[in-house]
Amino acid sequence: MASSAQAQYPGFAEEPLITEYDIDESWPKRPDNLAKFGWVSGMAQDKEENIWLFNKGDDPVQCYTPDGEFVRTWGAGDFKDPHHIRIDDEGSIWVADFGLHIVQKYTPEGKLLMELGEKNVKGEDKTHFNMPTDMVIGPNGDIFVTDGYGNRRIVHFDKNGQYIKEWGSYGTGRGQFVLPHAIVMDKDGKLYVADRNSGRVMIFNQDGELLDEWSNIIMPWGMSINAAGDLWICGSSPHWWKRKGAYPEFKDQMFVRFNTNGRLEQVWTIPLGDRNNRESIKPGAAVGVHCIVEDKNGNLYVGDIYDEKAMKFVPVKKRSETEE
């Protein structure tokens, strides 16, 4: 029998401080006439809180409301290997296609406005990329591209697409990259680069000076800045990228949130599904989380490449006693 002290002081928090997340299985409400998702490699949020997806299916660019209602799609037949998608302050849609070696700017309706790089031509000069992975656009329109799978550099252009400078080389030293996979900018103009295969996030000013480095916390695949200015990252916990001749890309699935001073504020994990048995993967599990966005209500939107799906996770801070 519990003592009066034990009854008075239960060993759990009646109002938990921990935020859990439940999967919203109804999101998104993809119309039947749209192709099934391929790799959902990119996500972005516009000023109306709509969520934009970039995927390898036959309808590559898709837009949904936070409630999951379909808004529009475009880009059929225009892409080869879609990667990340971003939206600038003017509402233009930016995409990186590492198979075509280009970065492009579109209107929200899908009209092409600018193209950087030469389609289907790889290179490492002022006008060519080699499998670029991501881009971020500053308030003044300047463009910073992570270039990428083939090259290990950041390339800086002005708002008209004119080359300004570049920095980076292959390696694990200061200012070097193993694979610059994603890039975002905070309100102060600092650049955060996910050097995925080395398990670190590198922070630069816009002159290319390395300001800080966060290592051994997560293998960073996708990143975004939320409305409060915090940095969300999705990926897996740290591991050697190559071990015993193999590339064990995933041993778990996790999301982390940092403030821009480098303090780790939040961690959430979801089950790792079996890539070779996708039918067994339950809702809320994933195989390859690749991109992440948080809306103003704290909902997390996540894209999975290997299970080819887009997911919405709803924050939960209190449950009934009968709820599992």
Side-chain angles (χ1 to χ4, degrees), residues 34-49:
L34 260 62
K36 292 183 178 180
F37 292 132
W39 289 13
V40 181
S41 53
M43 280 187 167
Q45 182 178 208
D46 64 24
K47 291 181 178 179
E48 285 72 43
E49 297 273 323

Side-chain angles (χ1 to χ4, degrees), residues 23-30 36-44 51-55 60 62-65 68 255 270 278 283-293 300-313:
I23 185 72
D24 179 352
E25 295 185 45
S26 69
W27 196 95
K29 300 177 177 68
R30 183 175 53 83
K36 292 183 178 180
F37 292 132
W39 289 13
V40 181
S41 53
M43 280 187 167
I51 305 298
W52 291 73
L53 315 178
F54 200 28
N55 81 97
Q62 298 182 29
C63 179
Y64 295 87
T65 69
F255 319 137
I270 59 176
R278 290 176 54 193
V287 184
V289 290
H290 197 277
C291 49
I292 185 168
V293 170
L300 294 177
Y301 303 84
V302 179
D304 186 337
I305 52 173
Y306 294 138
D307 199 27
E308 301 180 349
K309 64 187 178 186
M311 298 175 285
K312 177 182 179 179
F313 290 91

